[in-house]
Amino acid sequence: MKNISTRIKKIVREILEEKGLKCEHLREDQVLYESGLGLDSMDTAALSAALEQEFGNDPFMAGKFPKTISDIIEFYAVDLKK
Amino acid sequence: MIFDVLKNTADKFPNKVFLKEVKREVTYVQIRDMAISVAKDLPSSGRVYFYHRDGVELFAFLFAANLRGLEICLLNRQEGVSEAQNKINSLGGGGYVVTDFLGEGLNCMCRPKCESIGGGVLHRGGDSGLIIYTTGTTGAPKAVSYSWNRLLSQVRLSESEKHANWLLAYPLNHFAGVQMFVHALCNGAALTIPQGRGVSDVLSAFRGCAVSAISATPTFWRMFLGRLSDADKVDLRDTLKRITLGGEAATEDILARLRTIFPLASITHVYATTELGSCFSVKDGYPGFPTEYLNRKVGHVELKIVNSELFVKTEKSMNGYLGERERPDVLAGGWVGTGDLVEISGERVFFLGRKSEAFNVGGIKVFPPKVEAVILGVAGVETVRVYARKNPITGLVVAAEVQVLPGFDHGSVLRSIKQQCRAQLGRYEQPISISLVPSIERANEKIVRRNL
């Protein structure tokens, strides 16, 4: 689980860095959008594509809309249990 | 038609070399005699299909078929035999097949016998025409019917051209290959047929046959230049006099590289489509074409822009598609839509891409060639393909496959690509995913375009 969390945080961090934002310590309960980490629609599209590339599937494509990093971790954790 | 041109040139220049291969060359007279000789192996009427590797024998049979008044259909020898048979069937079946294919599966009725000697062939004359397929880089290839008369009338004649030795960089079953063939034929030039289109075959042809001119796609040039050693470049610099680019938009990256490597060569890019034929050329070495082309007749064509699409008016286009209901977009007055989207910037018209290739990202239109031009400007990039990838948020996103030149560090090329895309493109145009791949699918030296 820790490994999944690290990989997801790395992806989110890269997307933030593309926007010119530095975020050393990402919390799993941080909201991804607006007043949280501020991801807009293009950032979210990039997040979806990057998750798919990393894990082979992604929550957005599966019809979920994760609000936090925890939600994404949860999606893959459930996936792993299957 | 083409046989008559061959015969006239042979009469005028009996010792002039027409076709060159690495270990063989034949004169206009020899090809004329071979054509007369093999014509007796062909039927007296109907259509003849060619599923044959490029070479002297293929040309001899082409002239022979024309001499006999047969309709010629050129099939892609790179395709499997079942695909060739499907194409023959889709055009109604029947007819003769000239092939060097010795396996099973092709309803073959004729094989080359160039050594046989015959005579007394009836010259039927007339214009029995040509069927050729579109490249199919943006969809299924379509069969296009042409008259030789129109094809020959598109050729620009020049006295100096008879000293040229053109490399046949396109296969003959490709429309650009046919254009190259009739250009050399009508001008009394030599045409060098490489054994293949790989770098080593092309280099062998350059060295062994003293090639002085080459017409090829920008994709071919990127691949070719990327594999030339410094010594090769020096070798070619002195011999290559003319470079023509076609088949894809000529972008600044490749025009600049060619100018640097071959400072003595004239560099031209041509606008041609299988359906409309050769339309116009640009010789100033810059991408796009001058806006003043829109105000006057350019060669035999007129140009205008309607809803960002380039329309062309010409009397020298194809007769039509065969076996297809689809017709090009035709406006009143004979203006034909090219499917190419353009934009005017200053005094220049630039190509944005094919109408069918453009896609929407979050409601905003993206033109792959614009993105590709930015990526191709990055040092170390050999070639690139930009395409649409499904995405649950924006519907589609931009994705790119990039082939990196040997010797470049992948990580730093990737970083530079991202940096340049951020600097030069809108957010919706920037590739969301960039994959570095060992090769990118090509057809007839053009990047194959399919969205994933």
Side-chain angles (χ1 to χ4, degrees):
Chain A
M1 196 69 80
K2 193 180 172 193
N3 182 33
I4 290 177
S5 171
T6 309
R7 285 157 73 190
I8 293 168
K9 282 180 184 170
K10 182 171 179 278
I11 289 170
V12 173
R13 196 171 289 119
E14 280 172 3
I15 289 168
L16 292 171
E17 280 171 9
E18 294 276 321
K19 287 163 73 84
L21 301 172
K22 287 249 172 190
C23 198
E24 296 294 331
H25 303 289
L26 283 173
R27 290 193 332 267
E28 291 179 4
D29 62 349
Q30 267 180 307
V31 174
L32 294 164
Y33 320 100
E34 296 163 357
S35 57
L37 294 173
L39 301 191
D40 63 12
S41 60
M42 282 308 295
D43 301 324
T44 312
L47 176 62
S48 162
L51 289 171
E52 198 218 342
Q53 196 157 331
E54 178 73 19
F55 296 101
N57 61 351
D58 83 280
F60 299 94
M61 201 63 103
K64 315 278 183 202
F65 200 91
K67 291 184 178 54
T68 61
I69 291 174
S70 289
D71 292 345
I72 302 175
I73 296 168
E74 181 65 18
F75 172 82
Y76 290 110
V78 170
D79 211 46
L80 277 177
K81 284 177 197 162
K82 283 179 189 170
Chain B
M1 292 300 300
I2 51 171
F3 182 82
D4 293 330
V5 180
L6 173 73
K7 187 174 170 300
N8 289 342
T9 310
D11 290 346
K12 237 159 91 182
F13 308 108
N15 299 317
K16 181 87 177 66
V17 170
F18 181 25
L19 300 175
K20 289 186 170 198
E21 292 174 347
V22 171
K23 290 181 180 164
R24 180 187 189 190
E25 57 182 40
V26 292
T27 63
Y28 276 83
V29 166
Q30 285 170 317
I31 278 286
R32 177 199 64 192
D33 293 345
M34 285 170 81
I36 292 171
S37 169
V38 298
K40 71 175 182 54
D41 292 334
L42 296 174
S44 56
S45 64
R47 181 184 295 163
V48 60
Y49 297 93
F50 288 84
Y51 181 64
H52 200 292
R53 283 189 193 88
D54 289 352
V56 169
E57 283 73 22
L58 172 61
F59 282 92
F61 266 95
L62 273 182
F63 285 116
N66 187 250
L67 170 65
R68 293 287 266 174
L70 298 167
E71 187 180 36
I72 290 166
C73 177
L74 292 168
L75 299 170
N76 185 352
R77 185 64 175 81
Q78 303 298 313
E79 285 180 345
V81 70
S82 58
E83 185 57 33
Q85 188 65 60
N86 286 342
K87 283 189 171 146
I88 293 171
N89 295 344
S90 72
L91 293 177
Y96 237 62
V97 182
V98 171
T99 182
D100 58 347
F101 176 73
L102 299 173
E104 296 298 317
L106 189 67
N107 184 16
C108 174
M109 299 162 78
C110 177
R111 293 194 197 282
K113 294 171 189 157
C114 276
E115 72 280 6
S116 64
I117 303 296
V121 175
L122 175 66
H123 186 178
R124 299 169 67 90
D127 190 348
S128 44
L130 171 73
I131 298 169
I132 193 150
Y133 279 83
T134 57
T135 317
T137 43
T138 55
K142 295 185 201 120
V144 165
S145 158
Y146 255 98
S147 73
W148 284 110
N149 212 354
R150 283 191 184 181
L151 278 171
L152 296 178
S153 70
Q154 291 176 4
V155 175
R156 185 169 288 190
L157 300 174
S158 159
E159 189 57 26
S160 62
E161 273 296 286
K162 70 168 182 268
H163 305 296
N165 176 9
W166 284 89
L167 183 83
L168 186 65
Y170 298 99
L172 195 62
N173 63 66
H174 186 294
F175 183 71
V178 172
Q179 284 181 306
M180 196 64 265
F181 157 51
V182 294
H183 178 87
L185 175 70
C186 292
N187 279 291
L191 189 62
T192 291
I193 310 161
Q195 271 196 311
R197 267 97 195 168
V199 174
S200 59
D201 286 330
V202 170
L203 270 177
S204 300
F206 263 108
R207 293 192 175 118
C209 304
V211 167
S212 67
I214 175 166
S215 175
T217 60
T219 295
F220 169 91
W221 279 110
R222 289 186 192 104
M223 306 293 288
F224 187 60
L225 295 181
R227 283 161 177 74
L228 288 184
S229 67
D230 288 344
D232 292 332
K233 288 174 188 167
V234 172
D235 265 6
L236 298 183
R237 183 172 300 167
D238 298 330
T239 52
L240 197 55
K241 304 282 185 258
R242 286 193 57 187
I243 293 171
T244 302
L245 300 168
E248 298 170 311
T251 46
E252 178 56 27
D253 71 293
I254 193 64
L255 289 167
R257 279 176 77 191
L258 287 168
R259 275 198 304 270
T260 307
I261 297 170
F262 305 111
L264 305 176
S266 72
I267 301 170
T268 304
H269 55 100
V270 296
Y271 182 82
T273 72
T274 307
E275 291 87 345
L276 294 166
S278 180
C279 294
F280 62 88
S281 60
V282 181
K283 295 179 192 298
D284 62 12
Y286 295 102
F289 62 90
T291 48
E292 58 109 358
Y293 279 19
L294 300 169
N295 308 325
R296 62 175 174 92
K297 204 165 183 179
V298 186
H300 60 269
V301 305
E302 291 173 73
L303 308 169
K304 73 173 176 181
I305 300 169
V306 180
N307 295 331
S308 299
E309 182 179 354
L310 182 67
F311 276 71
V312 173
K313 191 173 175 181
T314 171
E315 290 168 359
K316 298 181 177 179
S317 63
M318 66 173 181
N319 299 330
Y321 292 121
L322 285 179
E324 298 265 348
R325 287 191 183 156
E326 189 185 335
R327 291 283 176 274
D329 192 7
V330 180
L331 297 178
W335 288 94
V336 180
T338 61
D340 284 319
L341 298 174
V342 293
E343 72 175 359
I344 294 177
S345 176
E347 293 181 353
R348 205 77 181 169
V349 182
F350 292 100
F351 290 96
L352 294 172
R354 301 285 299 160
K355 204 160 70 168
S356 57
E357 286 169 21
F359 55 88
N360 280 301
V361 175
I364 297 166
K365 197 158 268 188
V366 173
F367 300 99
K370 182 182 175 189
V371 183
E372 287 171 357
V374 170
I375 296 176
L376 286 165
V378 173
V381 171
E382 176 155 25
T383 190
V384 60
R385 185 169 74 99
V386 166
Y387 58 95
R389 194 169 138 184
K390 277 188 186 164
N391 187 277
I393 310 300
T394 49
L396 296 169
V397 288
V398 180
E401 286 180 340
V402 177
Q403 191 175 338
V404 177
L405 280 165
F408 280 81
D409 176 65
H410 284 205
S412 56
V413 170
L414 191 58
R415 278 191 296 279
S416 300
I417 291 172
K418 286 182 177 175
Q419 204 173 33
Q420 284 307 311
C421 286
R422 272 200 300 273
Q424 298 184 48
L425 298 170
R427 270 193 85 207
Y428 53 88
E429 295 172 311
Q430 295 170 23
I432 290 280
S433 80
I434 301 171
S435 315
L436 303 185
V437 294
S439 66
I440 292 176
E441 189 183 357
R442 288 170 288 148
N444 287 329
E445 294 308 326
K446 289 159 78 170
I447 299 294
V448 173
R449 303 200 168 276
R450 287 187 203 104
N451 292 331
L452 301 180

